[in-house]
Structures are given as C-alpha cells and as structure tokens.
Amino acid sequence: MARHAENPDAYFCQYRPMWREALLRRVAEMPQTSSSSFGPFELPDAIHEKANSRSWRCGAVLSWTTLRENCEIVSKHVSDVVPNERLSHDGKLTPSLLPATNSGCHVFLNRAILRSQTDAAALGFKDCWSWFGLPAVRHNVSYAVRPQWLHADPVGVTVLERLVLPKIFFQVAEAAAALKSAAASASQNTPPPEELLVTAVNRIAEFAFYIFNGAPYTRGSAAIGILAHHALHLWLLGPAVATGGRGALARHRLQ
C-alpha cells in the first residue's frame, strides 16, 4: 500500500482495485431503508425477488444485455454452438437466455461470484453453486476457496459476435463519419461537433463495455478491450493530411 501511496496512478490503473472501488461505491449508494433494492447485485426484471436475494447472499454481480428479439429467435442464431445437454427442458432456450418482461431477451455475459464456494458451504448456502448454466467452480477444487470471475459462455459470446457487436461497430462508424463531416463543414444545419463527439465516444464506450463484460477470450480479453477502445478513439482523429511520413501511415493502419 505504501507503494500505491507514493504513486497513485499505479493503483488506479489496475483493473481489480478499480472494480472493487466501484463495487463498494455502488453498495454504499444502496438505500438503507429499502429491502427491495439490491444495487449491483440486482438481476434482470424477469427475475423474482427471491433470486435477487440469492445474488445478494452469494455476492453475485452479473452483467447482461437485453435484445429486442424474443429468446426463441435469439436461440436460433446460436443453435450451432449449443450442446444438447445445455438445452432447457423445453429444448428451445439455454440457461444464459432469459425472457424479458417486454418480450425481449436477456443474454447473460460474465458472472463475478464474490463469496467463495467454501464460505457458502460453511454458511449453509446451498444455492450459490450455479449461475444460469455456469458452475461457480469450473476447473478444479482449488477454485472453490476464492471468488470467481466467470467469462460469458459460448452462447453469450456468440450472441455478442453475431448480433450485438456488429450493430454497435456500425453505429461507431456512423458516429465517426458524422463527426468528421461536421468538422469539415461550415454549414449551420449540422449538429455542433461537440455533440457529435459525445455520441461517438458513447458508442465506443458501449463497444468496449461488451468486450470487457463478454470476455470472449480465455486470455487477454481485458487487454484486447483496452486496445480496441484506444484504437477506436484514434480512429476518430484519423491520419494527418498531406504530411506523409511513416508516422501518418502507422496511425492510418490503426483504422
């Protein structure tokens, strides 16, 4: 800790301390007078309060995306990657797809399980073991003694790959084109560049959010998310005009 005090950047540039700080802040912001608010442990709207209590008791922080299509339609897009044993009792939906109250579909991404399975067993909590198709302990028994961060399963990753990320990347491209066009135009009819910049930055942040929370790779998902985030911001700048030189070409390759 003394090393962090000497160099605050060394602390805040690390993902885990930043995630822990954000989690503690969210918990502190939870209303103390309400028993129905579960803060970062809240589950989608289709989940009843008993399930929210389970996520609070087990320390489960889950992320998801909600699609407009119903889950039966979404499941058809991933039918080639769903093993038979992962199908639900009706043979149509996988555990990581959950119907939403607005007829859409919740798709679960990563799962952070803060209470270790040994602690849960010692406290008599028997419902902390499995989270929408993924067991909390996946590799060997040593994983039961510490908190776990579970990547999205193949269904979640495939939904991101085929339905979510292409759409967001197209929106990033549209926002970048609108920003560059407005910056080069003297017309009063176009939105101010500052407003378009905010839109582009929000689209890039959304893209990075899904890379981080989908964690599609066994190793390197966080690094790839950071690189994609930075590369897309550099794309907004574009290569220098009429400067030539290797520096301009190197920046252009990021596109």
Side-chain angles (χ1 to χ4, degrees), residues 34-235:
S34 174
S35 60
S36 61
S37 176
F38 295 89
F41 306 99
E42 195 85 32
L43 291 174
D45 55 11
I47 300 291
H48 50 74
E49 188 172 329
K50 183 178 179 181
N52 279 327
S53 299
R54 178 173 85 104
S55 63
W56 165 262
R57 184 171 59 254
C58 301
V61 180
L62 280 66
S63 62
W64 64 88
T65 183
T66 303
L67 304 182
R68 294 181 179 180
E69 299 86 350
N70 64 54
C71 287
E72 291 191 9
I73 293 177
V74 173
S75 66
K76 292 178 181 179
H77 290 278
V78 298
S79 60
D80 58 319
V81 298
V82 181
N84 291 331
E85 63 271 16
R86 291 288 309 283
L87 292 174
S88 63
H89 65 278
D90 59 7
K92 295 179 180 178
L93 302 180
T94 69
S96 53
L97 300 181
L98 184 73
T101 56
N102 62 353
S103 76
C105 184
H106 299 304
V107 182
F108 284 100
L109 303 177
N110 65 24
R111 294 98 156 143
I113 315 301
L114 305 181
R115 190 184 296 280
S116 71
Q117 295 306 299
T118 51
D119 287 348
L123 292 169
F125 300 159
K126 300 180 180 180
D127 54 357
C128 298
W129 181 258
S130 179
W131 295 92
F132 300 97
L134 288 185
V137 179
R138 304 191 65 188
H139 301 289
N140 57 63
V141 70
S142 68
Y143 285 78
V145 300
R146 58 181 184 266
Q148 294 298 309
W149 182 52
L150 309 176
H151 293 215
D153 67 357
V155 172
V157 171
T158 304
V159 169
L160 287 181
E161 176 189 356
R162 297 178 182 178
L163 302 179
V164 178
L165 291 177
K167 179 180 178 181
I168 298 175
F169 191 77
F170 182 76
Q171 293 173 345
V172 170
E174 280 189 325
L179 174 62
K180 293 178 180 181
S181 176
S185 173
S187 173
Q188 299 296 321
N189 297 324
T190 59
E194 295 82 0
E195 180 180 323
L196 295 173
L197 177 61
V198 170
T199 299
V201 168
N202 284 338
R203 296 288 79 76
I204 292 173
E206 188 176 4
F207 185 87
F209 170 85
Y210 285 117
I211 293 292
F212 275 112
N213 286 278
Y217 308 102
T218 303
R219 287 294 205 186
S221 291
I224 291 170
I226 292 172
L227 289 172
H229 179 266
H230 293 358
L232 289 173
H233 274 94
L234 289 173
W235 183 31

Side-chain angles (χ1 to χ4, degrees), residues 21-32 39-41 56:
E21 182 173 336
L23 176 64
L24 293 176
R25 184 176 67 251
R26 289 283 306 280
V27 171
E29 292 171 353
M30 291 172 58
Q32 301 300 318
F41 306 99
W56 165 262

